[in-house]
């Protein structure tokens, strides 16, 4: 289960995990640049650029990109996050060089044709409209804004209708030139792959990229408030969100266990109390989102408007209860789920490639599985209880809500149980 790492001449790191029993290879380019690296007037550009990469290069038209990878039976896609952008593919083991050539081509040489840009602008505007029509998407955008305000983490990855309507080719190129540098990149593969051959091809295809420097990011402040949207829906979608450690913090494993105990599965406190015993909702879960220098721990639920206040009050009681008592059995179950999730990634080339790339971008290394398991196993009930107290007691949550919310209690009332 060895991971091999090579640093190219321009600072790009090549990371592979050879899985000889597989007949496929998953590979991609991960760059430490995302929506967080946009200026306010650029909101949505990172995502726009990711879309435009597939619209043609000097060597391939948009149609040729799709036909070439699919003629080999492969898949290709991309994704933009707050802190990273990913271009990835999955192919039969003999076709990894073709996939890497296509990925490198769209990454390094997108034409950004004006006609294609206008067509894709319309596509993204429709994507923004669709997100606004999906209450379980919109409520998370609202709670991000309620958590981080004007900081880039408080903005939507998709951008706004007004900004996307006016963004131009030069703005997209300027953002790309400021952020797509070798020092921020990992080229990763997992599956049936030879590391030396893969690294040599990555050097040939991507070696001309300038090394540059790492992201220059402003640390966010968590300034909780409420952001809500009235919509003619049958349910109220609500989120309570608290400041939490980032992924570099030693408490990150405690945070993951805490989130799991709160609402990570059918045995979690939220699921059992809110859904199984009270029948207040169909969907309820907790989430822990970690960035390099900040994080958040929150609870989401969708319920009927007449049950929303009762659900929020009960959720607050459950969250505070973790600061009072945590059992060995709860911690044992949570740790088992987390460890199983790590191991299950080893059974998928795509999941494993994504895992090792993100680990290297985050920590500058790929931790071995035994050390990760040990850190999870070391979490104790007292640590979970203490972290819950630190996060919830005497701290106001950020609050987001979408739907028929006219009957919701005021923000101060919702936040009062944590005072």
């Amino acid at each position: 289960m060895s991971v091999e790492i090579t640093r190219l001449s321009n600072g790009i790191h090549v990371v592979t995990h050879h899985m000889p029993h597989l007949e496929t290879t998953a590979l991609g380019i991960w760059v430490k640049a995302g929506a967080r690296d946009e200026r306010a007037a650029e909101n949505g550009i990172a995502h726009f650029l990711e879309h435009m990469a597939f619209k043609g290069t000097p060597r391939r038209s948009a149609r040729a990109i799709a036909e070439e990878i699919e003629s080999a039976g492969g898949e290709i896609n991309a994704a933009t996050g707050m802190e990273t952008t990913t271009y990835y593919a999955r192919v039969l083991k003999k076709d990894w060089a073709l996939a890497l050539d296509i990925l490198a081509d769209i990454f390094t040489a997108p034409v950004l044709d004006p006609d294609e840009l206008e067509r894709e602008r319309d596509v993204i505007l429709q994507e923004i409209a669709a997100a606004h029509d999906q209450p379980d998407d919109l409520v998370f955008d609202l709670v991000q804004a309620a958590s981080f305000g004007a900081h880039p983490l408080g903005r939507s990855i998709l951008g706004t209708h007004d900004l996307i309507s006016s963004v131009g080719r030069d703005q997209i190129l300027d953002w790309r030139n400021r952020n797509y540098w070798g020092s921020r990149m990992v080229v990763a593969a997992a599956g049936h792959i030879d590391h030396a051959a893969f690294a040599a091809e990555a050097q040939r295809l991507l070696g001309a990229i300038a090394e540059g420097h790492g992201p220059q990011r402003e640390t966010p402040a968590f300034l909780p408030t409420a952001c809500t949207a009235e919509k003619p829906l049958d349910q109220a979608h609500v989120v309570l969100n608290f400041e939490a450690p980032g992924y570099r913090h030693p408490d990150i494993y405690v945070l993951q266990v805490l989130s799991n105990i709160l609402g990570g599965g059918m045995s979690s406190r939220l699921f059992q109390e809110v859904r199984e015993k009270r029948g207040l909702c169909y969907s309820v879960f907790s989430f822990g989102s970690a960035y390099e220098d900040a994080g958040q721990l929150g609870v989401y639920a969708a319920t009927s408007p007449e049950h929303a206040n009762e659900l929020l009050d009960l959720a607050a009681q459950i969250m505070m209860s973790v600061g009072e008592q945590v059992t060995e059995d709860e911690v044992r179950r949570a740790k088992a789920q987390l460890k199983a999730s790590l191991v299950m990634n080893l059974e998928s080339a795509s999941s494993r490639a994504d895992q090792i790339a993100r680990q290297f971008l985050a920590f500058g290394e790929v931790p071995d599985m035994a050390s990760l398991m040990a850190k999870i196993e070391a979490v104790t009930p007292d640590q979970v209880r203490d972290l819950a107290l630190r996060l919830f007691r005497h701290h106001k949550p950020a609050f987001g809500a979408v739907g028929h919310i006219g009957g919701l209690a005021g923000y101060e009332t919702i936040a009062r149980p944590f005072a």
Side-chain angles (χ1 to χ4, degrees), residues 238-240 280 307-317 399 408-409 414 417-418:
V238 295
V239 176
L240 294 167
L280 293 177
H307 290 322
N309 288 319
E310 181 184 358
L311 184 149
L312 286 166
D313 185 62
L314 179 58
Q317 293 178 41
F399 178 65
L408 277 180
I414 292 169
F418 304 101

Side-chain angles (χ1 to χ4, degrees), residues 251-262 269 297 319-328 330-332 334-335 338 376-392:
D251 281 340
I252 187 62
Y253 301 98
V254 184
L255 177 67
Q256 291 171 336
V257 172
L258 169 57
S259 178
N260 203 291
I261 289 171
L262 266 178
R269 292 191 186 187
L297 177 63
M319 296 171 83
M320 292 300 293
S321 74
V322 185
E324 298 168 2
Q325 182 183 21
V326 178
T327 69
E328 290 280 0
E330 285 180 307
V331 172
R332 189 179 302 112
K335 292 194 292 191
L338 291 170
I376 294 171
E377 190 56 42
V379 175
T380 68
D382 284 347
Q383 288 176 314
V384 176
R385 179 180 58 80
D386 290 347
L387 181 60
L389 283 174
R390 297 204 308 271
L391 298 188
F392 303 144

